[in-house]
Amino acid sequence: MFTIKSDHRLSEVGYDKIIEWARSILPKGNMLKENFYTAKSMMKPLGLEYQKIDMCPSFCMLYLENAELTGCMTCGHSHYKPRTERGKTLVAYKKLRYFPITPGLHRLFMSPRTVEHMT
């Protein structure tokens, strides 16, 4: 379900609606999580966490070390979307999700069955 959500750019509300529909047609006592939040919390112990890094919408630069900059050093595009009257927080135009490979490799080397395939 996470792959479908990602591939089709579903919002959390859209994901929750699909899960609600799927749970209604499945038999009682099914193991399908009831919403995005509980499904995501189930994935955390697997080591599939990611780091969000702000980036320029034109793909010029990452704001990793330069998080305090308000504009791109290459093209000059603004780092944050304009604030609305209700919005109190700054929202970046584009975010990169970085999945570190080290925790996944550690997990693969912990199982005796996968170690022989890894070496």
Side-chain angles (χ1 to χ4, degrees):
M1 286 298 296
F2 280 117
T3 305
I4 293 169
K5 180 188 180 316
S6 175
D7 288 347
H8 299 286
R9 298 179 183 161
L10 283 176
S11 65
E12 290 182 23
V13 175
Y15 181 90
D16 290 346
K17 290 288 184 185
I18 291 172
I19 292 294
E20 181 182 322
W21 171 78
R23 287 178 60 87
S24 71
I25 62 171
L26 289 173
K28 298 288 183 207
N30 65 68
M31 302 296 287
L32 190 62
K33 297 296 181 186
E34 50 277 345
N35 57 28
F36 178 73
Y37 178 76
T38 56
K40 188 175 175 183
S41 65
M42 183 184 76
M43 298 294 282
K44 278 193 176 187
L46 297 176
L48 300 174
E49 297 179 16
Y50 57 87
Q51 178 184 3
K52 290 182 185 176
I53 303 169
D54 293 347
M55 64 184 291
C56 175
S58 306
F59 305 102
C60 301
M61 70 174 279
L62 300 175
Y63 294 102
L64 186 60
E65 291 93 17
N66 305 321
E68 69 281 347
L69 289 177
T70 57
C72 179
M73 293 188 301
T74 307
C75 69
H77 195 282
S78 177
H79 181 171
Y80 300 108
K81 293 179 182 177
R83 289 185 184 187
T84 61
E85 291 180 19
R86 295 183 332 184
K88 293 184 175 26
T89 60
L90 295 171
V91 179
Y93 271 103
K94 193 171 278 289
K95 290 187 182 278
L96 169 77
R97 283 158 179 84
Y98 168 65
F99 293 90
I101 192 168
T102 309
L105 289 175
H106 281 279
R107 193 174 64 252
L108 287 172
F109 276 103
M110 287 169 49
S111 171
R113 285 183 282 158
T114 57
V115 161
E116 60 189 48
H117 297 292
M118 297 293 292
T119 53

